[in-house]
Amino acid sequence: MNHKLQDKLYSHSTNVNTEEIWNGIQKKKKKRLLIPLLLLGAFLILLTIYIISSTSVTKSSFVAKNTNVNSTATSLIKDSEYTQNSNEGNQYTSKEKDAIHSSKFINQKAYKSQTKQSFSSSKIPLPASRKASIGKTTNSNSVYLHDNSNKNTLVEADPLKSEVVENVFQKAAINDKLPKSESIELHSEKSSFPSIKNRNIINIQKIETATLYPNIDLFNYKLKTDFILPLKNRNDHNLTINIGTLTQQNILTNDTESLLGINTSLIYSRRYKNKWAFGIGINYTQYREHFVTVYNYTQGNEILATTTEIYNQNGTVELINSLITVEDKFERSISKVNEKHRLDISLHSEYRLFTWRNFSTLLIGQFNYNLLLWNNGLENKENFQGPYDINIDKLNTINKDNNLTYQYGLQLSYSLSERLLIGFKAQRYRSLNSFYIDQDLKYKGYIGGLLLTQTW
Amino acid sequence: MIKLTHIIKQCSVGNESAYRALVEFMSPMLMTTACRYISFDDAKDVLQDSYINLFKALQKTKLEAGKEALYMHRIVINNCLKRIKKKKLDFNLSENHSTQITADPIIFDRLASESIIELIHKLPKACRLCFQLYEIDGYSHKEIGEKLNISDSTSRAHLSRAKKLLQHELIVSYQKEKIKLERI
């Protein structure tokens, strides 16, 4: 390396606009910050889309299933077998049964409307399994039966001319698990019609296989054909965390003003019979009061003051002093926030009023038993007694008998996914006993809060 | 040098005005270094990148006193080489070359910086790179090989060719000067 050459060239200056360089640096710095922010924004947008689409996918998949089952159920129900006094029973194959049982949600209304339709003039196609049990068929829409007199002769029958017996449905008990359908044989009246080829009257006993669908409680399972209320928040176990603001109705003393407090709880509850839920948990409440007062007092002092001046003729002045009382006026003020904390064990209950799509409204009630209570603010009595003339005990929650409080109200929840709910609740709260020793004053007010529930 | 040390100290603390002062103080010199490798427009871009890298590095590392300028020149050279790598230079030597001839270093001492830069720019790109990195910026042949993805011997060959060409240019320019003076 040539050091002299290096020094020469390293110290050589080229004309350059430093302002331009500096501005370029600032622009590049901003660009470098922008890219990660854009990536973060894109990620949040994708996450939101995923959360929203995961709920809608559930619906559409249910709808698709439902549609398939309806059409399968309908075709199976329309289908009927004709046999010669046969009690073989044209049961549905296992595959067909599975098609019915696999669906969790069935449109009862749609089903009912379909069964009321009269059979159309078109011939009824038979499934392949049935065709094999009957005999030869020349085309998929024709049925060939054995003649009574000559079993080797196949005659074509027109099942449409027969009378259709209306299916009978039986009610089934509703339980949390999906009810299973049953297949029964309904023996219809014997009908007769002439055959085409040899004009012999063939007596046919039509055996229909009907599927019994239980009476579905629409409230619990399905509302419309295009929307299926999934089993969201129908799970048994719930864990709810709630945080809310507390407002007080009390005016404790003339010097006290109530402030907003906090109410938060963690509750585990279990669902019973779909509408009811009972649980237990921990509740924390903080009441806040602003205490402000001014105390005016006077203090008297004796001082020696010149009360009389005597001017003598000889030019002397006599001063006469005497004790006089002087009153000084004082003003003292205090402004303090007193916090009262309560940690309770809670018993919780809720009743589901009604549900619409993913929203549900509940009546909630909670009973709290105090475990621990403490105060912040006016705990040092000595600082506040004396000239203030206030009773600290009156302001503090010294009453240990005051253990019980209760809350009741309404909750509105929204299902974000199958296992997650968010909601808002508005409650009234009251204490069973007075919060004060010598005064009958019960705490009361309102709580408004947000909640998050995880179910499993 | 004391002034630069002081500015660097302030920059390491995160003083925004010190950054500005550094840019104003060092840009003319760093621009010369960058222009030896790439075009003027590209050099401005490289300089901005180099300053951003430098400001980041100053937050984490402490520079040795007296070597701040060298460090900054190195950053600029590295960024220039990154840009050059994208263009994929041909380092294959087509002519026979001799390793015996070397340019006299005294000649460069007598020449002005502008003349030296002008001479260097007349060299082929590959030779110019190797010459600058070795003779001016103090890289070893091994380091040059690593940076340019070439072998040591290729670097040496380009260097010797660069020196031979420089010598030839110097002789030509000296003769032209001589003719001018004679005419006067």
Side-chain angles (χ1 to χ4, degrees):
Chain A
M1 186 177 82
N2 191 330
H3 289 283
K4 283 187 180 176
L5 184 60
Q6 188 189 62
D7 291 339
K8 209 173 206 174
L9 290 175
Y10 275 19
S11 55
H12 177 77
S13 301
T14 303
N15 276 339
V16 64
N17 187 355
T18 54
E19 187 72 32
E20 197 184 341
I21 301 286
W22 179 253
N23 291 337
I25 292 167
Q26 299 305 313
K27 276 183 193 171
K28 284 193 178 185
K29 270 187 182 175
K30 281 177 190 173
K31 257 189 197 174
R32 287 184 188 193
L33 263 177
L34 196 62
I35 291 165
L37 283 171
L38 283 171
L39 285 170
L40 184 66
F43 172 73
L44 288 170
I45 290 166
L46 284 168
L47 189 65
T48 314
I49 292 167
Y50 170 73
I51 290 168
I52 292 167
S53 62
S54 66
T55 57
S56 61
V57 162
T58 316
K59 290 178 202 172
S60 60
S61 64
F62 274 115
V63 170
K65 271 190 186 175
N66 187 50
T67 308
N68 287 339
V69 167
N70 270 337
S71 60
T72 311
T74 307
S75 65
L76 287 170
I77 287 157
K78 274 187 179 178
D79 204 358
S80 49
E81 284 290 330
Y82 293 89
T83 186
Q84 260 186 345
N85 297 320
S86 170
N87 281 329
E88 285 167 6
N90 296 297
Q91 301 295 323
Y92 287 116
T93 60
S94 58
K95 198 177 174 185
E96 286 149 3
K97 279 184 187 174
D98 288 341
I100 300 165
H101 294 317
S102 66
S103 169
K104 290 190 174 182
F105 299 99
I106 299 158
N107 187 345
Q108 190 184 23
K109 281 185 184 174
Y111 169 73
K112 277 184 177 173
S113 64
Q114 281 163 355
T115 54
K116 282 179 184 173
Q117 288 170 9
S118 58
F119 289 119
S120 63
S121 58
S122 61
K123 291 185 180 177
I124 302 166
L126 287 171
S129 57
R130 304 277 172 71
K131 288 174 195 174
S133 68
I134 294 167
K136 280 189 189 175
T137 54
T138 54
N139 60 55
S140 60
N141 287 330
S142 299
V143 177
Y144 288 84
L145 305 168
H146 293 287
D147 189 0
N148 267 337
S149 56
N150 185 359
K151 286 187 180 177
N152 294 322
T153 308
L154 287 174
V155 293
E156 191 176 348
D158 187 358
L160 298 173
K161 287 189 181 176
S162 64
E163 288 181 72
V164 177
V165 176
E166 197 173 344
N167 289 316
V168 176
F169 296 97
Q170 292 176 5
K171 287 187 181 179
I174 298 167
N175 50 32
D176 281 343
K177 293 181 183 174
L178 293 163
K180 287 185 181 177
S181 58
E182 294 175 15
S183 293
I184 60 163
E185 286 182 7
L186 304 170
H187 294 270
S188 60
E189 290 177 4
K190 288 185 183 179
S191 57
S192 59
F193 52 86
S195 69
I196 294 165
K197 281 193 177 176
N198 56 15
R199 299 290 172 184
N200 289 335
I201 292 172
I202 299 167
N203 292 324
I204 298 169
Q205 186 180 19
K206 185 175 76 176
I207 296 172
E208 283 189 8
T209 307
T211 304
L212 300 177
Y213 294 96
N215 192 14
I216 295 165
D217 185 355
L218 294 176
F219 169 77
N220 282 320
Y221 291 100
K222 192 176 178 295
L223 298 175
K224 290 184 195 176
T225 54
D226 60 340
F227 178 80
I228 294 171
L229 187 68
L231 282 170
K232 289 177 186 175
N233 63 60
R234 298 288 191 266
N235 299 318
D236 282 342
H237 305 273
N238 304 305
L239 188 68
T240 305
I241 184 162
N242 139 72
I243 184 156
T245 307
L246 186 142
T247 60
Q248 294 187 62
Q249 274 184 291
N250 311 96
I251 297 170
L252 304 171
T253 65
N254 289 334
D255 305 316
T256 315
E257 176 195 354
S258 296
L259 302 175
L260 290 177
I262 299 166
N263 174 262
T264 179
S265 62
L266 182 67
I267 306 280
Y268 162 76
S269 59
R270 192 167 169 163
R271 191 158 296 283
Y272 295 94
K273 294 187 179 179
N274 290 324
K275 288 195 180 183
W276 286 98
F278 298 99
I280 191 166
I282 294 172
N283 185 65
Y284 165 76
T285 313
Q286 186 189 101
Y287 305 100
R288 291 171 73 239
E289 294 138 8
H290 182 219
F291 173 72
V292 58
T293 189
V294 176
Y295 180 65
N296 295 312
Y297 65 97
T298 56
Q299 196 172 353
N301 287 314
E302 265 192 350
I303 57 168
L304 193 66
T306 306
T307 52
T308 312
E309 288 178 355
I310 300 170
Y311 294 91
N312 297 319
Q313 281 185 350
N314 57 5
T316 58
V317 178
E318 281 180 37
L319 298 169
I320 300 169
N321 297 328
S322 58
L323 281 171
I324 58 167
T325 305
V326 175
E327 277 191 357
D328 293 318
K329 287 186 180 176
F330 293 94
E331 187 180 276
R332 278 196 186 179
S333 62
I334 177 174
S335 172
K336 198 84 179 169
V337 172
N338 188 27
E339 292 170 353
K340 296 175 187 172
H341 307 265
R342 291 176 65 91
L343 189 66
D344 312 312
I345 186 163
S346 303
L347 291 174
H348 177 86
S349 64
E350 61 184 52
Y351 177 75
R352 189 185 300 275
L353 283 174
F354 61 87
T355 310
W356 177 71
R357 290 188 180 252
N358 285 17
F359 290 97
S360 48
T361 309
L362 300 98
L363 274 175
I364 48 173
Q366 195 168 304
F367 202 70
N368 307 314
Y369 180 80
N370 182 246
L371 295 173
L372 198 63
L373 60 86
W374 68 98
N375 302 299
N376 269 339
L378 294 175
E379 51 274 19
N380 295 321
K381 289 186 202 181
E382 305 78 34
N383 295 341
F384 304 105
Q385 282 175 339
Y388 293 108
D389 191 26
I390 55 172
N391 189 343
I392 295 298
D393 290 342
K394 200 170 181 177
L395 296 166
N396 283 330
T397 317
I398 304 298
N399 186 358
K400 295 239 191 282
D401 295 330
N402 181 21
N403 288 332
L404 297 167
T405 58
Y406 60 92
Q407 299 161 216
Y408 59 91
L410 269 176
Q411 178 181 315
L412 178 68
S413 297
Y414 178 78
S415 296
L416 283 176
S417 71
E418 208 174 308
R419 297 191 192 285
L420 198 64
L421 291 100
I422 55 167
F424 170 77
K425 69 174 188 182
Q427 285 179 302
R428 174 110 169 105
Y429 78 89
R430 269 186 97 95
S431 62
L432 267 181
N433 299 317
S434 172
F435 268 47
Y436 297 95
I437 298 169
D438 61 345
Q439 206 172 340
D440 184 23
L441 188 66
K442 294 175 186 177
Y443 260 64
K444 55 185 185 285
Y446 297 95
I447 298 169
L450 297 172
L451 56 95
L452 188 70
T453 303
Q454 173 76 33
T455 65
W456 68 95
Chain B
M1 197 57 82
I2 297 167
K3 188 181 177 183
L4 179 63
T5 310
H6 175 70
I7 294 171
I8 295 284
K9 233 183 191 179
Q10 290 297 311
C11 287
S12 60
V13 177
N15 190 339
E16 199 69 28
S17 53
Y19 289 141
R20 186 72 192 258
L22 185 67
V23 169
E24 297 213 12
F25 186 79
M26 287 302 296
S27 290
M29 279 84 85
L30 294 175
M31 199 66 184
T32 309
T33 304
C35 287
R36 285 194 280 118
Y37 288 92
I38 48 180
S39 65
F40 187 81
D41 291 328
D42 287 341
K44 278 196 274 185
D45 198 37
V46 161
L47 212 59
Q48 288 161 8
D49 290 330
S50 306
Y51 277 121
I52 291 170
N53 294 344
L54 176 68
F55 295 154
K56 271 187 194 169
L58 287 174
Q59 304 280 337
K60 294 174 190 175
T61 55
K62 197 178 176 184
L63 297 181
E64 206 176 330
K67 292 191 178 177
E68 298 96 347
L70 184 67
Y71 184 81
M72 283 190 271
H73 281 279
R74 280 286 172 107
I75 291 175
V76 170
I77 290 163
N78 286 334
N79 283 327
C80 289
L81 289 174
K82 275 183 196 170
R83 195 157 281 230
I84 289 168
K85 264 186 189 175
K86 288 179 189 175
K87 291 180 183 177
K88 291 184 183 175
L89 278 175
D90 181 20
F91 284 93
N92 291 324
L93 286 160
S94 52
E95 299 170 13
N96 289 328
H97 59 277
S98 170
T99 55
Q100 300 298 320
I101 304 162
T102 56
D104 190 351
I106 299 168
I107 297 169
F108 287 115
D109 293 344
R110 289 179 189 165
L111 290 172
S113 305
E114 292 88 354
S115 309
I116 297 168
I117 292 167
E118 204 180 320
L119 275 172
I120 290 168
H121 273 286
K122 285 180 182 175
L123 293 169
K125 281 183 186 171
C127 297
R128 193 203 322 163
L129 262 179
C130 295
F131 178 80
Q132 286 184 125
L133 287 168
Y134 186 82
E135 286 292 339
I136 302 169
D137 299 308
Y139 285 93
S140 65
H141 287 295
K142 192 183 176 187
E143 285 171 332
I144 293 168
E146 282 166 6
K147 286 203 179 291
L148 301 176
N149 289 328
I150 54 175
S151 61
D152 296 357
S153 53
T154 311
S155 171
R156 278 178 228 279
H158 280 295
L159 177 68
S160 61
R161 190 178 174 218
K163 287 178 177 178
K164 183 185 170 187
L165 289 168
L166 274 172
Q167 192 183 40
H168 173 74
E169 283 295 322
L170 279 165
I171 293 165
V172 166
S173 63
Y174 171 74
Q175 283 172 348
K176 279 181 182 173
E177 279 293 322
K178 198 178 173 185
I179 292 163
K180 258 189 193 173
L181 285 167
E182 281 174 357
R183 281 181 184 171
I184 294 163

